[in-house]
Amino acid sequence: MALEVWQIVTFLSGLHLFRGIEEERLKWIAGQMTELRLREEELVYEEGQEPNNLYFIFEGRVQMTRYRRGAPEEEEMLGFLDQGDYFGLEVLEARTARRTSVQTTTAVVLLCFSAEALNEVFAQVPELIPRLDLMIASFHLMLRTNLDWLNPEEYILYIARKHPFFLWARLLPLILLITIVVGLFLGLYGTLGLSLFLILIAGALAVAGGVGLWIYVDWSNDYYIVTARRIVFQERIVLLYDSRQESPMEQVQSTEVDRSYLGQLLGFGDVRIRTYTGVILFQAVRLPAEVEKIIQEQIKRVQSTLRQAEIRSIEETIARRIGLLPARSGPPGEATPAKPAPTPMQRFMADLFHLRYEYGDTIQYRTHWWILISRIWLVTLLLLGVVFTSLFLLVKAALGQMPEGFPVVGAFLGLMLLGLGFFLRWVYVYIDWHNDRYLITSDQVVDINRKPLGKEEQRAAPIRNILSVEFKRLGIIGLLLNFGTVYIRIGDTLFTFDNVYNPSEVQRELFHRMAVRSVRERQQQAEAERQRMADWISAYDRLTRR
């Protein structure tokens, strides 16, 4: 039976794209949509086909795939889309083929906009244009971005970077500086000579290009992500730092938008997402009010899903107790997605200077590299002094310019022994720094301290016993380089993660692990309560049958 207009209007009013549009216009929009019903495992469209419709899932589930880059014979899973999701955004772009394939996994009811209908809708409802432009940009970025930690079945509903204004705000001073430097070199061309002039110009451009590339990579490595299950902020600093701040949808308490005057002019702002463990900040994202609507829509979906799951769980528990369903043979297993093992290069960098590294459900922190430099700079200078002095002696001896009777061999051997001592000291300090690690697992915090050629000390404590977590950044260097000490009070014992990078992130991660454990314990308590209720109802059922 075909859907009624009021059903479509009710459906559209719950979607972020149509939020704030009057009911009369929603009725008109509903009239522009066509209904499509498909059976399980039917192909909606295939990658490479010409796009002709934008689809909204009124009922059912579909899966989206694409051919893997570099291996066109293999398909890559992009995730499942459910009721309220939409797909087929390629229809909004001229001369663009389908970049993904979509197939149903259940019987589905789809509501479709043809390209012609969309043009009419945009003419009558122009506020849809920037909203869909935002989602097209998100769709393209999702296809270009490889996130190894993401569950293959978890579809990315929204992904973005910080507004490009902040990239140019960092690049323009560099461009201005290199322009001034090149201008100075041009002014000094007559006194420098052609060879020196070209060397200086090439060096300045190479340095500026390297810094500019680093700025771009640093900007492009930060992502704000919304999926059906969670909210994620991923931050990376090349070769130094890799952080992922996330919260399950069910732990989100509220959202708010903050826009400066400049942000209002350029169309960007901050979205603050408050959770049980702190605040996740989507900083300087495009159209922040629309991003907030996306998050709010997912929160309502998750809340509705949890309520329905709780009701089904209660009904199932009672039905099993009174004999309407067979007893469960064992506790339900929870499928955990396999996490990718670190590559050899990742292990190498983690063991070299990486300050934070995540593998499995364990996060490893090390003391900041500034602490290593403060301990090693003097011996490094002495070692370099010995090396250069040895080279100087060798060159002088080879040219026959040493004073007569000077003990070249003895001096060289003495320098070699001295250099060996400095080198061994350098290695000792590095290994001592390298061996101090701080671990956060799913249920423990661990402090590992191992001296080179000495004993290893390891302290561990359960996360459930944490009473408080504080951090301090001390000194101008700590503030500039963003490192400090995290203090973890567990009973009468004080754990310290000394001089770790971004201590506020360490604190947030600990709070997150505490919240996850708390949620798990509440779920276990709820299950125990359901079983107790089922016992009462089962006893009542037996009494009524006597």
Side-chain angles (χ1 to χ4, degrees), residues 92 143 147 151 205 319 322 430 456 529 535:
L92 300 170
L143 293 178
L147 301 172
N151 189 314
L205 292 177
I322 63 178
Y430 170 78
E456 175 179 310
E529 186 65 28
D535 289 339

Side-chain angles (χ1 to χ4, degrees), residues 16 102 171 203 233 312 365 538:
H16 69 91
V102 175
L171 286 176
F233 168 43
R312 286 196 300 269
Y365 293 93
S538 178

Side-chain angles (χ1 to χ4, degrees), residues 380-394 412 415 419 422:
T380 302
L381 290 178
L382 293 173
L383 181 59
L384 290 174
V386 169
V387 170
F388 286 124
T389 303
S390 300
L391 291 175
F392 177 78
L393 286 179
L394 287 175
F412 185 74
L415 287 171
F422 289 148

